[in-house]
Amino acid sequence: MKIIAKFAGKNGSLGYENGRYYSLKILEDKHTKEICVYSEKKDPCRYGTFIKFLENWTDINTQYD
């Protein structure tokens, strides 16, 4: 499954640009229970809760291969 979402956080945060779409992979850290968001060329973003993730990403779509 592929996730496409628009970054709505602060421009330049971890190299992301506000308003731009990114292809993402989302995993949960089994030890910390944080949400880890990976994209092709960026360092992972870590969010303490899924709600915090949703505060920074909008227009979330999934595509199945």
Side-chain angles (χ1 to χ4, degrees), residues 7-50:
F7 185 66
K10 184 178 177 184
N11 196 34
S13 179
L14 290 174
Y16 293 101
E17 294 179 34
N18 182 282
R20 186 169 173 201
Y21 285 85
Y22 294 90
S23 176
L24 305 174
K25 181 177 182 180
I26 301 173
L27 301 171
E28 180 184 45
D29 185 305
K30 292 181 182 181
H31 300 289
T32 65
K33 301 298 183 193
E34 292 177 312
I35 305 299
C36 301
V37 178
Y38 299 88
S39 71
E40 300 126 6
K41 299 179 183 178
K42 309 287 183 210
D43 290 333
C45 289
R46 298 174 84 74
Y47 298 98
T49 65
F50 193 67

Side-chain angles (χ1 to χ4, degrees), residues 40-61:
E40 300 126 6
K41 299 179 183 178
K42 309 287 183 210
D43 290 333
C45 289
R46 298 174 84 74
Y47 298 98
T49 65
F50 193 67
I51 297 299
K52 290 292 183 189
F53 165 77
L54 292 174
E55 290 174 357
N56 286 283
W57 295 91
T58 62
D59 198 16
I60 300 165
N61 294 289

